[in-house]
Amino acid sequence: MAALDSDGEEDLVSYGTGLDPLEEGERPKKPVPLQEQTVRDEKGRYKRFHGAFSGGFSAGYFNTVGSKEGWTPSAFISSRQNRADKSVLGPEDFMDEEDLSEFGIAPKAIVTTDDFASKTKDRIREKARQLAAATAPIPGATLLDDLIAPAKLSVGFELLRKMGWKEGQGVGPRVKRKPRQQKSDPGVRIYGCALPPGHSEGSEDEDDDYLPENATFAPKDVIPVDFTPKDNVHGLAYKGLDPHRALFGVSGDHFNLFSAGSERASHLFGEAGLSKGRKLGISGQAFGVGALEEEDDDIYATETLSKYDTVLKDEEPGDGLYGWTAPKQYKSQKESERDLQYIGKIVDGFSLSSKSLSSKKIYPPPELPRDYRPVHYFRPELSATPENSRLLQVLSESSGKAVCNPGTQSRHQLNAAKRGDLLGETPIQGSPTSVLEFLSQKDKERIKEMKQATDLKVAQLKARGLAQNAPSGRPQSSSSDGGHCSWHATPSDRTASARASNFKPFAKDPEKQKRYEAFLANMKQGRHDALERCLDPGMTEWERGREREEFARASLLYVSSHSTLSSRFTHAKDEDDSEQVEVPRDQENDISDKQSAVKMKKFGKLTRDTFEWHPDKLLCKRFNVPDPYPDSTLVGLPRVKRDKYSVFNFLTLPETASSPATPTSSRKIQQHQDLNKSRKPSRWDTSNQEKREESSSEFLSVAGSAVGTPKQEPSPLVNQEEEPVPEPLSEQKMVNKGADLQTEGEASRPSMDLFKAIFASSSDENSSSSEDEQGDSEDEQPGAGEADLTHSSETDLATTSSMTLASEPAPRAPAPSFPIQKMHFDEREEFGPRLPPVFCPNARQELEVPQKEKPKKNKDKHKLKKEHRRKKEKKKKHRKHKHKGKQKTPKAEKSSSSESTGSSDSLSDDEGAAAMSPEELLRRLKRLPLKRQ
Amino acid sequence: MLLENRRCVRPLGSDQVNTGPRAPRCLMLDPERRRADPGREEQEVGRAGPREVDGNYCLTCGSDKTLKLWNPLRGTLLRTYSGHGYEVLDAAGSFDNSSLCSGGGDKAVVLWDVASGQVIRKFRGHAGKVSTVQFNEEATVILSGSIDSSIRCWDCRSRKPEPVQKLDEARDGVSSLKVSDHEILAGSVDGRVRRYDLRVGQLFSDYVGSPITCICFSRDGQCTLVSSLDSTLRLLDKDTGELLGEYTGHKNQEYKLDCCLSERDTHVVSCSEDGKVFFWDLVEGSQALALPVGPGVVQSLAFHPTEPCLLTAMGGSIHCWREESYEAEGGTG
């Protein structure tokens, strides 16, 4: 319609067929429904679709031939004058003209079939075909294909031709050919064997044509390197009997029609024979004389040396194609190269360039200094300490290096600024070398303060530990003031001692390390009483024995740990996965406590382990049970990765010994037993549960009453019950009690921290021992100075009850937490049978309790939901996580540090209190439920 | 500690007794002794097969490398299944009595067709003797416990040669295995009873201490009966693992002896090495009866699922025990 309206405008393009214009008053026609639409052919006949629209046999007019009446027999009239010629009817006579059309069953028009369609579309394939043709045993098949080129070309060819491209030319802009220089150069020298003159001339004849100055030529056709796959089982580069030559002798001219390549091949392979005019019909690696071969005497011809080149001739062009491409391919390539000769690429008959290369200037090597010794050796790297300074000096002198670095520091230990100083540079004013220099003076002071405070805290903690180490014998040092003062100096001591030796098995405990070093020194001097001399006289007998053991072992193990040795190694930064093995995440508990539980017939919680177990999906299906873990892919028990060679995988007992809950539990069990001593257990002990409840409440009431007695001086902010340190007297009692309990094996085994200090890398937090952990957590956050240990003890309370509770006055604190305790009171460790002797006489074990708290608290964040998880695993797992202590402002931190000192004071004042402080018990009780998370 | 290695006397096992026309009345079993099959005692060392579900048949297996299906009422041998290469240590029947499974010293678990007596499939994969086999409820999975301390679940439906799942939590050989609709109960020589609960996806491991010889569910599915080598049977609460009862008096220190519960969970029955079968009252724990079977070791026993009828195995013979009134009728058979 639009096309009709704008008929006059030539610009418009109309699509489709316009509708007939509507007449006035005529009602618009209804569109013919689809089912009534008919298809007619060009003669107006209804078209019937036979078969699938075409190909069906449509005979005649409505299946009649030719006419409406159908096929009528023609009359046969023959007379004498008019003889009817014999007509032979073909099938076409019975066909409609549609059948003879292009899409009929007998098309008359000539159509290119697939066999004759252009094969130039796939050039690579064509190349491959050509190659195959050269080596094919029967040449005719593919050659014919080449001869009879299909008329039809692909669209690309058509387009290219329309753009002026011709077969054989390269594609691209036309180039201007340089005038030939090589040819015209009269002074060309030909080395080696010159090419047969006829051959070379023949190929270059065309090039001798006159080249107009401004003529451009099409670029050379690039023949792609063809990689034909080797699909036969012949050897590499095997070439079968060349049929052309085997059958027809030397390729005659008329056979060049078939293969131009064969001629080239004969040039390549049989040049010697050809030049002598021999008709050696056989080439290639096949042997024998063909049946059609007449002259076979030549195969017995003796080889003479004259056939061989005596001069190395550079046969291969530099293109590297020779040798790994087929010969034919190479030949064509070579031919094109010959065309390129005038450009400068001389392959055969190469000639010298006229100019000689400018000789390179040779610089003499630098003269060696007179005292240079061409032997490299590794100097032991010594840290600059007063003890080592002499040695360093000697070393540097012996190495012939001038002692240019003041302060006995090695060159590599200097930073840029110092080196600049040494070289006499003026220091760069503008850019500070450290971030710290951007800080204001005030900030710097604050940082310094914080650092001191944290150091102080370490010292205090150590002091506290020491105070418990020596509960009775050293009143001076364990008293608050004495301990304090002596430990103020610790950080500097520590740093000093840190330089003294690189191997510090007890680095976390400077006092111990000091003792150890003294012990080593004494050992070096050959004193037999080295151990006795260096040990702290204030320690208990047991501690001394233990430490003696540790020292002896450490010194034994680390005889070779010279500082030079250790300085060569560095700690690995990343964990190597291959060093890990997959072990079940959850393992059944130690049997020892279960055995005792079985002995006491306390089945139930004590003897039961519960694991997450993933059944196979198919198994669930077979059991008609929904998959409990539809999303999980693992089967069986969950597994975790572990260090393969870690010693700690095998040291299980110390873990239980150092586990914080066990001492408590053993003590509680003792109490429990005392409470139930009079009661005779029923035969089945079915009332385990209620008994437990009962006893727990009993126990709690005892504890609560003990708490109620105002024993501690009220401190405004810090809840002293939270102080994890038990009274030294109780410790003493434990020591005595534990003497008989302790197994011999445990006494003789070195402590866990020794192992850890020895085998664990110092940067690895998770390997730090129980007591080291204090230092560790301290080391982690000293820069920020934010979390301190006393806080951790507070925070653990905060997790059970709340922060506000923790800060409330002491006697009130335990009361609200009772329900929580009751809820979780059936903890396994609490009311089992007597557990194996796990008592740790070292008071440090007690100290560590708040430390253990932190990982447990972290547990909430990680989705550890199984209560059966072993503590051992917990420790291992969670120590790896950063201790997330409560982050506090430096100010609060400062105050807390002072609180902690106060608390430690008060603690030491608490000497001689009851055997087990109820606060301590309560605190542990509160802590226990956390384990179940 | 491998329990299997200690076995020297392992007589023919026996199993379930037939049902009679008489309705079960009394709880006490009258010790009536009967040879199940005096003529066929060639099964020298054997082990009791499992109960047939309906109690009409008795399946025995033994060191003659065969399984035998009996009619315990008449004492007639119905069919012999041979195909094992070594002694057959345990066998079980499917819920519809259409197929059997067995395992033995040839480390293979064999699935049999009851009617034809042909081996349907052999599952290989265990590294040691298969000491116990069980079908699951629908007989689509065979569970086998072996002294290689693993339990393997073989799929009877697919043609896969590998087990569906391998439960290798046990630290020592698996001596006994029971399957409920959603649980796998396994007793191991490492002294633990492990219950794999497929429904909740958890593994409950109860420590008993001494090597476990036999375990079984109570019929109400609430308790597990555990017999161990310390001559003690323990009744444990299934859910909590608490001890509900302890039954002593018999002797079980060397061999893998069977125990079971009576048809109504009223009594605990166990073999003993002194040639008796002990009965305890389940609730009171008192010894109700010590049934003398013979001079040897009672290796295996099985209780009828619904009737007071007991089969015991000693030496090369099976004895069927039932109450006195019935005995008059069935004794001749």
Side-chain angles (χ1 to χ4, degrees):
Chain A
M1 300 261 269
L4 284 174
D5 290 343
S6 54
D7 245 350
E9 300 176 32
E10 292 175 352
D11 302 342
L12 288 183
V13 181
S14 59
Y15 289 102
T17 331
L19 294 176
D20 294 332
L22 283 176
E23 299 286 326
E24 288 294 327
E26 191 188 6
R27 309 182 75 185
K29 281 180 191 167
K30 272 188 183 173
V32 185
L34 199 66
Q35 65 271 12
E36 293 177 11
Q37 289 177 2
T38 53
V39 181
R40 294 166 191 256
D41 60 6
E42 59 272 9
K43 288 179 180 173
R45 302 175 300 195
Y46 284 108
K47 192 156 190 175
R48 308 183 67 186
F49 296 110
H50 295 271
F53 281 47
S54 75
F57 190 79
S58 150
Y61 198 80
F62 293 97
N63 288 344
T64 61
V65 180
S67 64
K68 196 169 184 178
E69 292 79 27
W71 175 75
T72 49
S74 59
F76 181 77
I77 304 165
S78 181
S79 63
R80 274 187 192 173
Q81 289 80 27
N82 197 10
R83 291 257 170 185
D85 43 2
K86 225 179 191 177
S87 65
V88 179
L89 293 177
E92 290 84 2
D93 295 325
F94 304 96
M95 285 182 182
D96 288 344
E97 52 265 32
E98 300 102 276
D99 297 330
L100 304 177
S101 67
E102 189 181 356
F103 302 108
I105 55 171
K108 291 281 192 199
I110 295 175
V111 176
T112 314
T113 59
D114 271 349
D115 292 339
F116 297 98
S118 168
K119 294 207 171 93
T120 51
K121 281 177 265 182
D122 194 353
R123 292 192 54 168
I124 292 179
R125 236 185 92 200
E126 197 187 22
K127 279 275 160 0
R129 223 164 39 79
Q130 279 178 9
L131 276 174
T135 55
I138 299 170
T142 49
L143 282 172
L144 262 178
D145 284 353
D146 293 338
L147 279 177
I148 306 166
K152 196 175 165 190
L153 283 174
S154 69
V155 180
F157 271 76
E158 300 284 352
L159 282 174
L160 278 172
R161 275 188 180 162
K162 284 193 174 167
M163 291 163 69
W165 175 80
K166 292 194 184 77
E167 200 100 35
Q169 289 179 346
V171 177
R174 299 175 72 83
V175 292
K176 205 166 191 175
R177 191 172 285 176
K178 287 180 202 161
R180 302 187 60 185
Q181 291 170 346
Q182 305 284 343
K183 193 68 187 173
S184 60
D185 191 5
V188 68
R189 286 188 285 177
I190 296 174
Y191 292 91
C193 297
L195 282 174
H199 183 80
S200 62
E201 240 135 58
S203 65
E204 284 159 8
D205 271 343
E206 308 97 49
D207 298 333
D208 282 336
D209 293 344
Y210 167 72
L211 297 176
E213 281 299 311
N214 46 3
T216 56
F217 295 88
K220 294 281 170 197
D221 196 8
V222 179
I223 298 176
V225 175
D226 185 56
F227 298 95
T228 40
K230 177 180 167 352
D231 50 356
N232 52 17
V233 291
H234 301 311
L236 272 183
Y238 169 81
K239 188 167 165 288
L241 191 69
D242 190 353
H244 314 125
R245 313 189 58 215
L247 293 176
F248 311 114
V250 184
S251 51
D253 283 344
H254 57 285
F255 288 120
N256 283 348
L257 174 73
F258 280 93
S259 169
S262 68
E263 182 196 345
R264 291 171 194 154
S266 65
H267 280 307
L268 193 67
F269 291 110
E271 202 165 324
L274 274 178
S275 60
K276 288 181 181 172
R278 271 196 216 147
K279 289 192 74 180
L280 193 60
I282 304 236
S283 72
Q285 281 101 332
F287 305 109
V289 181
L292 300 176
E293 189 71 31
E294 291 176 358
E295 298 180 4
D296 58 347
D297 50 350
D298 269 340
I299 55 169
Y300 302 111
T302 53
E303 297 283 307
T304 58
L305 271 181
S306 61
K307 287 183 190 172
Y308 296 97
D309 292 331
T310 50
V311 180
L312 272 182
K313 186 165 67 171
D314 189 13
E315 257 190 332
E316 339 181 350
D319 58 359
L321 276 175
Y322 190 80
W324 56 273
T325 47
K328 183 167 186 269
Q329 178 75 23
Y330 166 60
K331 278 303 283 184
S332 57
Q333 189 81 6
K334 199 177 166 189
E335 193 134 278
S336 67
E337 266 163 20
R338 203 176 292 135
D339 297 338
L340 289 172
Q341 264 183 358
Y342 58 92
I343 298 178
K345 188 161 189 177
I346 316 151
V347 184
D348 31 18
F350 54 93
S351 61
L352 257 184
S353 75
S354 53
K355 291 172 194 169
S356 65
L357 285 171
S358 60
S359 65
K360 282 177 185 167
K361 193 179 179 188
I362 296 171
Y363 297 94
E367 286 193 17
L368 291 172
R370 194 177 302 161
D371 52 353
Y372 174 73
R373 281 174 296 176
V375 177
H376 183 261
Y377 63 95
F378 293 98
R379 252 181 292 96
E381 205 168 288
L382 288 183
S383 52
T385 59
E387 298 97 295
N388 286 340
S389 60
R390 281 290 306 270
L391 188 55
L392 267 178
Q393 238 171 353
V394 170
L395 276 172
S396 56
E397 280 165 8
S398 72
S399 66
K401 204 175 70 176
V403 191
C404 61
N405 38 3
T408 72
Q409 274 178 323
S410 89
R411 184 165 50 90
H412 300 289
Q413 285 168 335
L414 297 177
N415 60 15
K418 284 181 187 168
R419 276 195 296 270
D421 278 346
L422 288 176
L423 294 172
E425 288 174 0
T426 53
I428 305 162
Q429 296 297 335
S431 62
T433 56
S434 165
V435 190
L436 283 176
E437 292 181 26
F438 285 114
L439 297 175
S440 66
Q441 191 61 31
K442 209 175 133 193
D443 286 339
K444 277 187 210 168
E445 274 174 10
R446 219 178 56 197
I447 287 175
K448 215 170 174 183
E449 236 170 42
M450 268 156 42
K451 213 169 181 179
Q452 279 175 352
T454 48
D455 283 348
L456 203 62
K457 246 167 283 145
V458 185
Q460 284 157 3
L461 269 165
K462 302 294 174 200
R464 219 179 299 146
L466 200 74
Q468 285 147 14
N469 277 355
S472 57
R474 295 194 336 180
Q476 186 60 32
S477 64
S478 61
S479 83
S480 60
D481 290 340
H484 238 112
C485 297
S486 70
W487 280 98
H488 269 300
T490 328
S492 59
D493 286 354
R494 228 168 91 185
T495 49
S497 68
R499 293 219 187 94
S501 159
N502 281 353
F503 171 61
K504 295 182 288 297
F506 311 106
K508 303 297 177 186
D509 188 351
E511 189 71 4
K512 198 170 178 181
Q513 176 67 22
K514 243 158 98 181
R515 271 179 271 144
Y516 175 65
E517 278 159 13
F519 161 71
L520 282 183
N522 283 341
M523 285 279 283
K524 270 180 198 158
Q525 290 163 17
R527 294 189 197 170
H528 289 291
D529 55 347
L531 268 170
E532 308 306 322
R533 289 171 66 97
C534 62
L535 288 185
D536 193 349
M539 286 191 300
T540 62
E541 193 57 40
W542 189 88
E543 282 168 331
R544 294 175 67 165
R546 182 183 148 113
E547 204 160 282
R548 206 177 296 139
E549 200 84 15
E550 284 175 8
F551 283 2
R553 272 167 194 265
S555 62
L556 271 180
L557 279 166
Y558 272 80
V559 167
S560 63
S561 79
H562 196 255
S563 60
T564 58
L565 182 68
S566 55
S567 68
R568 287 198 192 174
F569 296 96
T570 181
H571 296 298
K573 290 284 189 296
D574 327 29
E575 282 181 341
D576 192 2
D577 271 353
S578 65
E579 290 296 307
Q580 294 187 329
V581 285
E582 279 208 337
V583 294
R585 190 186 63 191
D586 314 300
Q587 277 178 340
E588 280 151 346
N589 270 333
D590 221 11
I591 318 181
S592 52
D593 50 344
K594 303 206 163 162
Q595 267 170 345
S596 44
V598 166
K599 260 177 217 155
M600 298 176 68
K601 292 177 182 164
K602 303 239 188 234
F603 285 90
K605 291 267 194 284
L606 284 168
T607 57
R608 168 156 285 200
D609 295 311
T610 309
F611 307 112
E612 189 180 319
W613 176 71
H614 296 247
D616 195 272
K617 293 203 173 0
L618 182 60
L619 196 65
C620 289
K621 198 178 153 195
R622 292 280 185 260
F623 271 77
N624 287 328
V625 165
D627 194 350
Y629 305 100
D631 299 330
S632 90
T633 55
L634 73 152
V635 167
L637 296 183
R639 301 176 96 78
V640 290
K641 286 210 163 172
R642 269 302 149 63
D643 284 346
K644 199 190 285 178
Y645 302 116
S646 172
V647 189
F648 307 111
N649 282 348
F650 309 107
L651 298 175
T652 52
L653 208 65
E655 293 280 357
T656 59
S658 63
S659 79
T662 33
T664 336
S665 61
S666 66
R667 252 173 273 159
K668 272 178 190 154
I669 284 159
Q670 286 166 12
Q671 287 206 11
H672 178 225
Q673 283 169 342
D674 291 345
L675 287 171
N676 291 330
K677 209 169 268 176
S678 55
R679 292 180 49 169
K680 188 172 176 276
S682 76
R683 201 167 83 82
W684 298 136
D685 207 0
T686 48
S687 58
N688 255 350
Q689 191 69 34
E690 60 185 47
K691 238 166 72 184
R692 218 180 291 141
E693 286 296 334
E694 184 187 0
S695 57
S696 66
S697 55
E698 255 180 327
F699 172 65
L700 279 175
S701 65
V702 169
S705 66
V707 170
T709 61
K711 234 189 312 185
Q712 62 286 340
E713 60 252 12
S715 76
L717 274 172
V718 163
N719 198 351
Q720 293 209 341
E721 303 148 16
E722 307 313 315
E723 201 49 52
V725 186
E727 279 76 21
L729 199 73
S730 76
E731 273 313 307
Q732 194 66 30
K733 202 175 158 193
M734 289 294 293
V735 170
N736 299 336
K737 220 186 267 178
D740 49 344
L741 289 176
Q742 191 143 18
T743 60
E744 197 55 41
E746 178 152 7
S748 62
R749 195 188 320 106
S751 75
M752 192 63 187
D753 46 19
L754 175 63
F755 280 109
K756 297 205 164 173
I758 290 174
F759 291 107
S761 60
S762 60
S763 65
D764 197 358
E765 322 164 1
N766 74 349
S767 60
S768 58
S769 77
S770 53
E771 61 195 306
D772 291 348
E773 202 163 22
Q774 297 177 352
D776 256 1
S777 58
E778 200 66 34
D779 288 345
E780 273 186 1
Q781 297 147 342
E786 286 174 343
D788 58 326
L789 297 170
T790 49
H791 282 159
S792 71
S793 70
E794 286 182 7
T795 51
D796 81 15
L797 183 85
T799 54
T800 55
S801 52
S802 74
M803 235 3 218
T804 55
L805 271 180
S807 56
E808 271 180 51
R812 279 185 56 197
S817 59
F818 269 165
I820 304 172
Q821 296 160 5
K822 268 188 186 167
M823 268 166 50
H824 301 282
F825 215 76
D826 47 357
E827 184 61 28
R828 187 184 309 143
E829 284 84 355
E830 289 307 305
F831 293 99
R834 251 184 33 169
L835 296 176
V838 285
F839 131 82
C840 302
N842 203 340
R844 272 174 264 133
Q845 301 287 356
E846 306 289 329
L847 235 187
E848 100 202 35
V849 166
Q851 252 56 45
K852 297 271 144 108
E853 252 348 80
K854 279 202 256 185
K856 267 169 206 148
K857 197 172 50 130
N858 285 345
K859 214 179 307 154
D860 301 353
K861 292 175 183 167
H862 311 292
K863 37 171 203 245
L864 311 177
K865 50 190 173 187
K866 297 294 155 195
E867 56 186 71
H868 60 265
R869 178 134 328 136
R870 296 230 34 197
K871 257 179 279 168
K872 187 168 62 179
E873 267 92 6
K874 283 180 198 164
K875 267 191 256 168
K876 269 202 138 20
K877 201 158 181 174
H878 292 289
R879 268 187 206 156
K880 289 188 175 164
H881 302 294
K882 290 221 161 143
H883 297 257
K884 289 179 187 160
K886 284 265 162 157
Q887 305 286 308
K888 297 207 170 184
T889 61
K891 234 191 250 173
E893 189 268 338
K894 232 168 110 188
S895 67
S896 71
S897 74
S898 64
E899 289 159 20
S900 75
T901 59
S903 63
S904 73
D905 291 357
S906 65
L907 256 181
S908 45
D909 288 348
D910 268 351
E911 281 184 21
M916 168 62 82
S917 80
E919 300 92 343
E920 166 74 2
L921 284 174
L922 274 175
R923 199 194 50 73
R924 286 184 185 160
L925 284 175
K926 270 179 254 161
R927 189 178 42 75
L928 278 171
L930 278 177
K931 254 179 285 172
R932 313 199 52 184
Q933 310 272 323
Chain B
M1 170 164 43
L2 294 178
L3 200 64
E4 292 296 333
N5 291 342
R6 299 175 168 199
R7 252 179 16 157
C8 50
V9 187
R10 194 37 78 104
L12 168 71
S14 78
D15 208 56
Q16 211 56 42
V17 193
N18 58 353
T19 58
R22 190 174 295 271
R25 283 181 290 122
C26 61
L27 300 178
M28 273 303 295
L29 285 179
D30 252 345
E32 152 55 24
R33 175 172 173 171
R34 186 170 72 112
R35 282 229 134 127
D37 189 9
R40 294 179 180 85
E41 297 186 16
E42 69 274 12
Q43 272 183 304
E44 288 295 326
V45 177
R47 194 204 173 301
R51 65 187 85 97
E52 295 288 301
V53 170
D54 58 0
N56 277 324
Y57 301 100
C58 156
L59 187 66
T60 65
C61 53
S63 63
D64 61 349
K65 309 171 189 172
T66 61
L67 280 79
K68 286 185 183 255
L69 187 68
W70 308 85
N71 183 343
L73 175 66
R74 301 203 171 83
T76 50
L77 176 66
L78 300 174
R79 194 175 268 283
T80 301
Y81 303 90
S82 51
H84 269 288
Y86 282 86
E87 58 174 347
V88 189
L89 295 176
D90 197 10
S94 68
F95 71 103
D96 54 355
N97 283 349
S98 69
S99 51
L100 305 174
C101 64
S102 63
D106 54 359
K107 307 173 190 172
V109 178
V110 181
L111 177 65
W112 305 86
D113 182 43
V114 167
S116 68
Q118 298 298 309
V119 175
I120 301 174
R121 290 196 65 184
K122 272 196 182 184
F123 302 99
R124 299 184 188 276
H126 274 296
K129 291 178 179 179
V130 180
S131 51
T132 173
V133 288
Q134 280 292 318
F135 272 115
N136 74 333
E137 211 176 33
E138 293 189 334
T140 52
V141 174
I142 297 174
L143 292 110
S144 61
S146 161
I147 63 167
D148 68 358
S149 74
S150 72
I151 301 164
R152 286 169 208 241
C153 312
W154 309 93
D155 192 1
C156 299
R157 293 226 170 130
S158 73
R159 303 296 297 176
K160 271 196 301 185
E162 298 91 20
V164 175
Q165 190 171 3
K166 182 180 166 195
L167 319 175
D168 50 1
E169 280 74 34
R171 295 268 171 275
D172 207 334
V174 179
S175 58
S176 183
L177 194 64
K178 289 289 185 308
V179 182
S180 76
D181 56 345
H182 66 284
E183 294 159 312
I184 302 166
L185 186 68
S188 169
V189 188
D190 65 1
R192 287 177 190 270
V193 178
R194 290 181 180 78
R195 184 165 61 87
Y196 300 87
D197 196 323
L198 276 83
R199 198 171 278 166
V200 300
Q202 281 191 321
L203 161 61
F204 303 96
S205 169
D206 288 322
Y207 183 78
V208 174
S210 72
I212 290 163
T213 59
C214 185
I215 48 160
C216 55
F217 284 112
S218 64
R219 301 201 194 263
D220 61 355
Q222 300 296 312
C223 311
T224 55
L225 182 67
V226 179
S227 86
S228 54
L229 277 190
D230 54 356
S231 296
T232 311
L233 271 77
R234 292 181 180 87
L235 190 70
L236 300 179
D237 187 86
K238 194 182 81 175
D239 291 327
T240 63
E242 286 164 8
L243 184 70
L244 303 178
E246 200 171 53
Y247 312 95
T248 53
H250 68 300
K251 182 176 173 228
N252 183 8
Q253 287 165 334
E254 288 182 77
Y255 304 130
K256 178 185 179 317
L257 302 184
D258 278 357
C259 64
C260 65
L261 289 161
S262 66
E263 86 281 2
R264 286 184 175 175
D265 279 351
T266 52
H267 285 77
V268 172
V269 189
S270 171
C271 305
S272 174
E273 287 168 14
D274 53 7
K276 292 175 182 168
V277 171
F278 280 76
F279 288 75
W280 294 271
D281 188 88
L282 181 124
V283 179
E284 295 172 11
S286 57
Q287 181 179 328
L289 177 70
L291 177 68
V293 175
V297 178
V298 186
Q299 280 103 348
S300 180
L301 59 83
F303 214 91
H304 194 279
T306 52
E307 289 181 34
C309 200
L310 176 74
L311 277 177
T312 61
M314 171 186 283
S317 58
I318 317 165
H319 306 279
C320 177
W321 309 80
R322 48 177 59 221
E323 73 261 31
E324 197 161 9
S325 53
Y326 185 82
E327 179 262 327
E329 301 164 15
T332 57

